[in-house]
Amino acid sequence: MLNERQKNFCYSYAKSGNATASYKAAGFNVKDDNSAAASANKLLRNSKVIGFLTELSEQTRNSQIADVEECKRILTMIARNEKLSAKERIAAINILLKSQGAVVQNVNVIGTCPVVFSGEERIHD
């Protein structure tokens, strides 16, 4: 388990990528920038710190990707926004309906399909 200063270091480092500044911002006592840099680099080799930074990175990556529900909420806001044109609102409504399976799309296939009859020998005239 990380202590509070280690967690603060991780949060700061995840935002800035600057280990020395993050070490100082986390509240560690340092003499100068060189000692802060050395201590920060040591901290970055700590397996618990690495694990926490990895977790923060995953959370950030996942929060940047809209999930299905968020997309539906956004499309609903667009569809209800009376300041937008009717065309824009209708497009949002169509996307929403398609995503919910409420719209059946016709698909036309043009081509040939061979037909094979079997069992002709059993047919009597």
Side-chain angles (χ1 to χ4, degrees):
M1 192 70 168
L2 297 178
N3 66 39
E4 205 60 35
R5 286 187 295 190
Q6 290 170 323
K7 285 181 184 178
N8 289 337
F9 168 79
C10 290
Y11 289 126
S12 178
Y13 183 73
K15 285 181 185 177
S16 71
N18 185 322
T20 303
S22 296
Y23 191 83
K24 292 178 356 183
F28 289 102
N29 294 324
V30 293
K31 292 187 242 177
D32 55 33
D33 283 351
N34 289 334
S35 64
S39 296
N41 284 325
K42 182 178 178 184
L43 198 55
L44 284 172
R45 291 189 300 274
N46 179 311
S47 61
K48 292 178 183 176
V49 170
I50 292 169
F52 193 68
L53 286 170
T54 302
E55 186 180 312
L56 287 176
S57 176
E58 286 295 319
Q59 289 173 359
T60 302
R61 189 176 316 123
N62 290 339
S63 69
Q64 292 174 349
I65 300 170
D67 62 7
V68 173
E69 291 304 314
E70 183 180 0
C71 292
K72 288 180 181 180
R73 279 193 300 275
I74 292 168
L75 287 167
T76 300
M77 288 188 313
I78 293 169
R80 291 180 177 164
N81 187 342
E82 294 180 5
K83 294 178 182 177
L84 296 176
S85 71
K87 183 177 179 178
E88 292 168 316
R89 294 174 68 197
I90 290 169
I93 291 168
N94 282 330
I95 294 169
L96 265 173
L97 291 172
K98 287 177 186 175
S99 72
Q100 295 176 2
V103 175
V104 177
Q105 294 180 331
N106 293 329
V107 178
N108 294 324
V109 178
I110 300 173
T112 59
C113 181
V115 177
V116 178
F117 293 98
S118 65
E120 291 179 24
E121 64 279 354
R122 292 182 288 183
I123 300 175
H124 299 287
D125 287 330

